[in-house]
């Protein structure tokens, strides 16, 4: 057994020689519009000669509302109850001691995206079928797809020196050694036609279940290798629109309680004025924080360097910036944020080119504290960009630090690679009023990061308020945390409990008011008050989860410790709603089973797959004693022509006529000189810049999301030159490069 330094995570390459009781995992996903219900069935079988206890620590979406846990042994079905965590653990231990079978499901104390399932006292030859159910919202992507992710990979979570180590031990193996099978079926249903469903995994062809294409199903192809999370991108034919679902309460629950009253889920898609959306701010303090721990080795750190190049070239003149990087220690390029100009950009890029994943562990707290200790620059709103594979053990402490500084900045977070902690990445953005992105598999990091930069360069939405206009006798209690950020094209969700009755009530209205660039703006949503009766109480579960998470991230201290009164409120809400929390657990006891067991149970840890890059890092780190990991050698592949061209742009936005530009566009210096129109012979930078713009528009149009901001800067520079002969330059560039780009398409 090899243990990664200070991580609380065990890599066991020999585990396959020990019988693993988990035989198979079957997952069925039902997607309705932008909400998914996930049912996982896990089949355990004891093939040994003695009773065993199987412990499975696995990843879970951090925003999921876990709402059902049960076990079927033979013909006996045991449905778990939600109880206070300490009580649930005691009942589990007592049951095992008395020879009864017991089943325990609990959320990690350290991070809400890790769960532990214990299957106790499984006699020789006996099987148990475990059913786990949760509901979750689907995030909207830049191209309007809805993203569903079934986490399969769980990477090591680095535990910083000096922090409490209350985390569970995770047994990991490379994906090729996972000894159980996965089957996966997703059914999609919507009021709008389904355009397509894409995946990072091999899927059987999409099968439409209705003629109007509003229902479809898709299966994971046989032979899944557990080398990645299972991701679905669901595209509807119509764009997303604001909507509301009013769900009836549970008939058996008391009135004027969360589960007894109706609940409403509002999906808001704000529309901003077009003139504001087409402009970008020329001010701001942009702080980039890059993970350089050992697990970022290889392609991850290379992609991060390329992304920083694009970011630095896309920044506007007049802003301020700095770059921090961290591992077991941290570094910063400048002592404090500096003004963005050619000299500072060049200095930063030289240091970025030298960055390797060689700083050891993943201690993100110290650099964040340093960033927040720096005074904000007047009239330069601070925008923090965090790039990490999310493998930290002190997740709650990090998120609470961001929350305590949320009034001074916006935080945009990026989870890199398979198994990035959804709790950390989503939590940073949520508490920092920013936006979260995940980059997995073959995804390019650059377009997602530039989308977030565009968000950051737009004016912040302030003075957000929500007004409810409901029928007489009906009132709304908002269960979601207050809206702190709104972005164009991104969904904002609101949950509320509706108290009171009005039999004639037909319609309600919600108005979201805010100020954007000093302009008062509002968006209204009228919705039908007709009740939707469903057995799963999906909206109620999600509303309960939202309130629980809000209370857990409330007014606690830096380490997430909260007072007893709030803890009791969370426990009561969790028990009432049947939704798990950090202070509760699901417990099921088969009281008809067995006799007292003589001697200790055999404990069998069920392995979980880890990302191949992390597996490599852990094998290399097995003998280290200080957490400093050597970086993976990178292949010296030829640089992307797009990045080659971008690297030549000046901070002002222009390009210079030089041999490197000729090489980047696939021509010789003589070609460029011969084609230069006489009208701009005195101004080589104008010709070079138009040449670069035509090349980007004509030959790299598919990467527009990556170069759009730096091109806007180039156009602004061209306009400031008041140069004549631009049409001739465009014509000459088209002729030279074999393109047909129109002058007006360049915006000049």
């Amino acid at each position: 057994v090899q243990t990664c330094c200070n991580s609380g995570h065990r890599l066991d390459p020999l585990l396959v020689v020990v019988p693993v009781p988990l035989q198979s995992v079957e997952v069925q996903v039902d997607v309705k519009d932008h909400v998914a219900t996930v049912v996982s069935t896990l089949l355990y079988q004891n093939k040994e000669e003695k009773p065993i206890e199987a412990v499975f620590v696995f990843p879970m979406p951090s925003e999921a509302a876990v709402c059902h846990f049960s076990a079927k042994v033979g013909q006996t079905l045991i449905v778990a109850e939600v109880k206070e965590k300490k009580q649930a653990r005691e009942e589990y231990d007592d049951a095992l001691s008395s020879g009864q079978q017991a089943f325990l499901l609990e959320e990690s104390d350290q991070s809400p995206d890790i769960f532990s399932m214990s299957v106790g006292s499984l006699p020789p030859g006996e099987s148990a079928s475990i059913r786990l159910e949760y509901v979750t919202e689907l995030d909207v992507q830049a191209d309007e797809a809805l993203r569903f992710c079934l986490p399969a990979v769980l990477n090591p979570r680095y535990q910083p020196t000096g922090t409490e180590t209350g985390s569970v031990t995770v047994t990991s193996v490379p994906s090729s050694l996972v000894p159980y099978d996965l089957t996966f079926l997703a059914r999609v249903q919507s009021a709008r036609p389904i355009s397509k469903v894409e995946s990072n995994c091999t899927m059987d062809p999409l099968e439409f279940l209705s003629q109007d294409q509003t229902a479809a199903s898709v299966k994971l192809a046989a032979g899944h290798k557990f080398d990645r999370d299972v991701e679905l991108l669901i595209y509807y034919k119509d764009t997303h629109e604001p909507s509301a679902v009013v769900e009836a309460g549970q008939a058996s629950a008391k009135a004027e309680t969360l589960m007894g009253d109706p609940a409403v889920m509002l999906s808001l898609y704000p529309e901003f004025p077009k003139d504001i959306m087409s402009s970008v701010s020329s001010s701001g303090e942009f702080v980039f924080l890059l993970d350089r721990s050992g697990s970022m080795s290889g392609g991850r750190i290379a992609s991060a360097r390329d992304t920083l190049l694009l970011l630095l070239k896309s920044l506007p003149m007049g802003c301020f910036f700095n770059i921090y990087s961290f591992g077991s220690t941290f570094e910063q390029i400048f002592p404090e944020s500096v003004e963005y100009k050619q000299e500072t950009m060049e200095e930063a890029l030289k240091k970025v080119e030298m960055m390797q994943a060689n700083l050891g562990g993943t201690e993100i707290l110290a650099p964040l504290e340093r960033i927040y200790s720096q005074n904000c620059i007047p009239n330069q709103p601070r925008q923090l960009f965090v790039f990490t594979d999310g493998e930290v053990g002190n997740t709650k402490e990090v998120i609470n630090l961001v929350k305590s500084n949320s009034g001074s900045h916006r935080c945009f977070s990026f989870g890199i690679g398979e198994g990035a902690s959804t709790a950390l990445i989503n939590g940073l953005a949520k508490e920092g009023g920013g936006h979260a992105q995940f980059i997995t598999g073959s995804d390019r990091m650059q377009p997602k990061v530039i989308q977030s930069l565009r968000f950051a360069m737009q004016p912040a939405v302030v003075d957000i308020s929500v007004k409810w206009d409901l029928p007489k006798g009906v009132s709304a209690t908002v269960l979601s945390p207050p809206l702190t950020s709104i972005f164009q094209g991104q969904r904002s969700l609101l949950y509320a409990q509706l108290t009171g009755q009005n039999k004639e009530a037909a319609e309600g209205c919600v108005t979201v008011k805010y100020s954007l660039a000093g302009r008062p703006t509002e968006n209204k949503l009228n919705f039908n008050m007709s009740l939707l009766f469903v057995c799963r109480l999906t909206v109620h579960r999600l509303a309960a989860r939202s309130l629980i998470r809000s209370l857990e991230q409330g007014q606690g201290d830096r380490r997430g410790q909260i007072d007893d009164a709030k803890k009791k409120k969370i426990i009561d809400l969790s028990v009432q709603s049947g939704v798990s929390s950090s202070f509760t657990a699901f417990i099921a006891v088969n009281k008809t089973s067995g006799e007292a067991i003589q001697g200790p149970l055999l404990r069998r840890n069920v392995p979980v797959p880890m990302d191949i890059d992390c597996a490599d890092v852990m094998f290399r780190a097995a003998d280290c004693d200080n957490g400093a990991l050597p970086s993976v050698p990178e292949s010296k592949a030829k640089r992307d022509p797009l990045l080659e061209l971008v690297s030549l742009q000046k901070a002002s936005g222009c390009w210079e006529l030089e041999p490197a530009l000729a090489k980047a566009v696939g021509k010789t210096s003589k070609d460029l000189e011969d084609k230069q129109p006489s009208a701009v012979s005195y101004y080589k930078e104008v010709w070079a810049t138009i040449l670069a713009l035509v090349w980007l528009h004509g030959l790299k149009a598919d990467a527009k999301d990556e170069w759009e901001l730096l091109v806007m800067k180039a156009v602004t520079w061209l306009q400031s030159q008041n140069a004549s002969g631009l049409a001739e330059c465009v014509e000459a560039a088209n002729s030279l490069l074999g393109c047909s780009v129109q002058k007006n398409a360049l915006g000049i």
Side-chain angles (χ1 to χ4, degrees):
V1 173
Q2 295 177 317
T3 303
C4 184
C5 310
N6 224 8
S7 70
H9 202 102
R10 185 167 61 187
L11 175 65
D12 195 349
L14 303 179
L15 189 134
V16 289
V17 303
V18 177
V20 175
L22 180 59
Q23 303 297 300
S24 64
V25 179
E26 177 184 318
V27 178
Q28 181 172 307
V29 182
D30 285 301
V31 176
K32 189 166 184 180
D33 292 321
H34 60 266
V35 172
T37 300
V38 183
V39 177
S40 298
T41 304
L42 298 89
L43 180 62
Y44 287 84
Q45 184 178 14
N46 182 7
K47 296 183 178 181
E48 302 189 56
E49 296 179 355
K50 295 182 179 180
I52 63 168
E53 177 190 23
V55 179
F56 185 25
V57 179
F58 57 95
M60 180 77 75
S62 62
E63 299 300 310
V66 181
C67 54
H68 178 87
F69 181 57
S70 62
K72 189 173 184 181
V73 181
Q75 298 302 311
T76 303
L77 177 66
I78 312 105
V79 179
E81 298 177 75
V82 177
K83 296 187 178 182
E84 190 274 328
K85 187 176 281 187
K86 182 180 178 182
Q87 179 186 351
R89 288 172 175 170
E90 289 175 351
E91 289 188 17
Y92 177 81
D93 292 338
D94 290 345
L96 295 194
S97 298
S98 61
Q100 295 174 327
Q101 290 178 320
F103 307 88
L104 182 69
L105 178 70
E106 55 184 323
E107 179 184 308
S108 165
D109 294 333
Q110 305 300 314
S111 184
D113 61 350
I114 299 178
F115 274 68
S116 175
M117 178 189 299
S118 300
V119 176
S121 192
L122 197 61
E126 189 160 285
S127 299
S129 178
I130 311 297
R131 179 185 171 100
L132 167 68
E133 182 176 331
Y134 66 86
V135 290
T136 189
E137 304 136 355
L138 306 186
D139 292 330
V140 181
Q141 304 301 290
D143 60 357
E144 297 193 334
L146 290 174
R147 178 180 183 264
F148 168 81
C149 182
L150 177 73
V153 175
L154 183 54
N155 292 325
R157 300 289 173 89
Y158 180 86
Q159 197 71 34
T161 305
T163 60
E164 297 179 10
T165 57
S167 57
V168 291
T169 298
V170 181
T171 301
S172 295
V173 295
S175 58
S176 60
L177 299 182
V178 173
Y180 44 87
D181 300 321
L182 171 69
T183 57
F184 177 92
L185 168 67
R187 294 184 298 206
V188 183
Q189 184 178 356
S190 174
R192 297 166 290 156
I194 301 159
S195 175
K196 59 181 177 178
V197 177
E198 296 179 347
S199 179
N200 63 332
C201 300
T202 303
M203 293 281 176
D204 290 343
L206 181 69
E207 180 182 352
F208 285 105
L209 306 177
S210 62
Q211 286 190 338
D212 59 2
Q213 298 188 343
T214 57
S217 67
V218 64
K219 286 183 181 179
L220 184 68
H224 180 65
K225 301 299 183 184
F226 276 102
D227 56 343
R228 67 197 70 180
D229 297 337
V230 179
E231 181 184 73
L232 294 182
L233 295 175
I234 301 166
Y235 296 83
Y236 296 125
K237 289 187 178 178
D238 299 325
T239 56
H240 302 294
E241 295 179 351
S243 63
V245 177
V246 182
E247 184 179 80
Q250 195 171 24
S252 59
K254 292 181 181 179
E256 298 189 3
T257 64
L258 170 57
M259 302 307 290
D261 284 341
V264 59
M265 175 176 62
L266 301 177
S267 303
L268 307 174
Y269 292 89
E271 286 294 327
F272 295 164
K274 290 185 178 180
D275 58 329
I276 293 179
M277 288 303 300
S278 62
S279 64
V280 294
S281 173
S282 61
S283 63
E285 179 195 9
F286 297 89
V287 181
F288 307 109
L289 177 58
L290 175 64
D291 187 345
R292 288 174 57 193
S293 61
S295 54
M296 284 286 292
S297 289
R300 293 182 183 179
I301 193 67
S303 181
R305 286 197 304 265
D306 290 344
T307 300
L308 282 173
L309 166 66
L310 265 179
L311 282 168
L312 288 175
K313 295 294 183 176
S314 300
L315 292 179
M317 292 290 283
C319 74
F320 286 72
F321 79 104
N322 204 352
I323 300 174
Y324 293 73
S325 57
F326 68 94
S328 299
T329 60
F330 71 89
E331 300 173 358
Q332 57 195 89
I333 290 184
F334 303 107
E336 59 185 21
S337 293
V338 296
E339 185 177 353
Y340 177 77
K341 50 189 178 181
Q342 184 63 29
E343 294 77 16
T344 55
M345 183 192 76
E346 286 182 351
E347 182 178 350
L349 283 173
K350 286 178 183 177
K351 293 183 178 179
V352 166
E353 278 295 314
M354 303 298 292
M355 287 183 175
Q356 300 290 333
N358 57 359
L359 292 186
T362 313
E363 301 204 22
I364 191 174
L365 208 59
L368 282 173
E369 290 173 331
R370 172 64 64 85
I371 291 167
Y372 294 140
S373 72
Q374 303 269 359
N375 291 329
C376 291
I377 302 169
N379 302 315
Q380 302 284 349
R382 178 173 288 171
Q383 316 283 355
L384 173 62
F385 287 67
V386 180
F387 302 87
T388 178
D389 54 19
E391 296 161 9
V392 302
N394 57 339
T395 300
K396 291 184 178 179
E397 192 174 359
V398 172
I399 292 173
N400 284 331
L401 176 62
V402 172
K403 180 181 177 68
S404 65
N405 289 275
S406 59
S408 64
H409 78 305
R410 287 192 290 183
C411 181
F412 298 84
S413 54
F414 305 88
I416 302 170
E418 309 295 339
S421 169
T422 58
L424 178 69
I425 303 306
N426 287 328
L428 289 174
K430 185 175 182 179
E431 300 300 339
H435 186 249
Q437 302 263 26
F438 290 88
I439 298 101
T440 60
S442 59
D443 285 354
R444 282 181 64 83
M445 188 185 303
Q446 291 83 353
K448 294 189 175 185
V449 174
I450 294 301
Q451 182 202 24
S452 290
L453 178 61
R454 197 171 181 88
F455 285 155
M457 293 172 69
Q458 290 164 5
V461 173
V462 296
D463 300 329
I464 303 173
S465 65
V466 179
K467 180 185 177 185
W468 295 77
D469 291 309
L470 301 173
K472 186 177 180 180
V474 180
S475 62
T477 301
V478 178
L479 305 173
S480 308
L483 289 177
T484 57
S485 60
I486 298 177
F487 297 106
Q488 170 75 18
Q490 292 299 305
R491 182 185 64 233
S492 296
L493 284 173
L494 283 179
Y495 294 97
Q497 175 184 339
L498 300 179
T499 304
Q501 291 185 348
N502 187 325
K503 293 183 179 179
E504 298 179 359
E507 193 172 86
C509 178
V510 168
T511 304
V512 180
K513 295 183 178 181
Y514 49 90
S515 178
L516 182 66
R519 185 186 306 178
T521 309
E522 66 176 47
N523 296 119
K524 285 189 175 183
L525 172 60
N526 295 301
F527 60 94
N528 194 312
M529 295 283 289
S530 300
L531 298 180
L532 175 67
F533 292 88
V534 293
C535 59
R536 278 177 165 167
L537 294 169
T538 302
V539 172
H540 284 75
R541 308 289 194 202
L542 289 171
R545 188 284 322 273
S546 179
L547 182 54
I548 288 170
R549 289 285 183 257
S550 180
L551 290 169
E552 288 174 339
Q553 289 291 342
Q555 302 301 314
D557 62 19
R558 248 275 296 279
R559 293 183 180 273
Q561 301 298 316
I562 64 176
D563 60 57
D564 290 341
K566 186 171 289 186
K567 180 178 178 180
K568 183 179 185 305
K569 187 175 181 179
I570 292 171
I571 292 171
D572 290 345
L573 178 60
S574 177
V575 171
Q576 177 200 148
S577 64
V579 172
S580 66
S581 75
S582 58
F583 299 115
T584 55
F586 282 91
I587 174 68
V589 177
N590 185 1
K591 296 182 179 179
T592 63
S593 59
E595 299 177 355
I597 296 172
Q598 302 300 316
L601 282 171
L602 293 177
R603 178 181 169 119
R604 293 293 180 245
N605 293 313
V606 177
V608 66
M610 68 159 59
D611 181 65
I612 189 169
D613 290 336
C614 291
D616 179 61
V617 168
M618 288 185 71
F619 277 120
R620 290 183 295 109
D623 298 324
C624 78
D625 57 8
N626 61 1
L629 307 182
S631 58
V632 175
E634 295 175 29
S635 60
K636 298 295 182 181
K638 186 178 179 181
R639 193 174 203 174
D640 184 338
L642 171 62
L643 294 175
E644 197 66 52
L645 182 78
V646 168
S647 70
L648 302 175
Q649 189 185 31
K650 303 301 178 184
S652 62
C654 73
W655 276 264
E656 292 183 347
L657 198 62
E658 55 182 325
L661 176 65
K663 182 179 178 182
V665 299
K667 301 297 176 181
T668 66
S669 295
K670 187 175 186 302
D671 292 335
L672 270 58
E673 292 169 1
D674 290 348
K675 279 288 185 179
Q676 181 177 349
S678 57
V680 292
S681 59
Y682 61 93
Y683 212 159
K684 294 183 178 180
E685 286 87 351
V686 170
W687 164 235
T689 301
I690 289 181
L691 193 66
L693 294 183
V694 169
W695 187 87
L696 289 169
H697 278 274
L699 301 176
K700 291 294 178 180
D702 58 338
K704 185 177 180 180
D705 289 345
E706 301 181 33
W707 51 253
E708 190 172 23
L709 286 177
L710 62 89
V711 162
M712 288 174 64
K713 187 164 66 168
V715 170
T716 300
W717 178 85
L718 278 172
Q719 292 170 341
S720 71
Q721 304 307 302
N722 295 318
S724 58
L726 298 186
E728 291 92 328
C729 287
V730 173
E731 185 178 346
N734 278 321
S735 173
L736 178 63
L737 300 174
C739 299
S740 55
V741 179
Q742 300 298 311
K743 177 175 175 288
N744 59 359
L746 301 180
I748 55 177

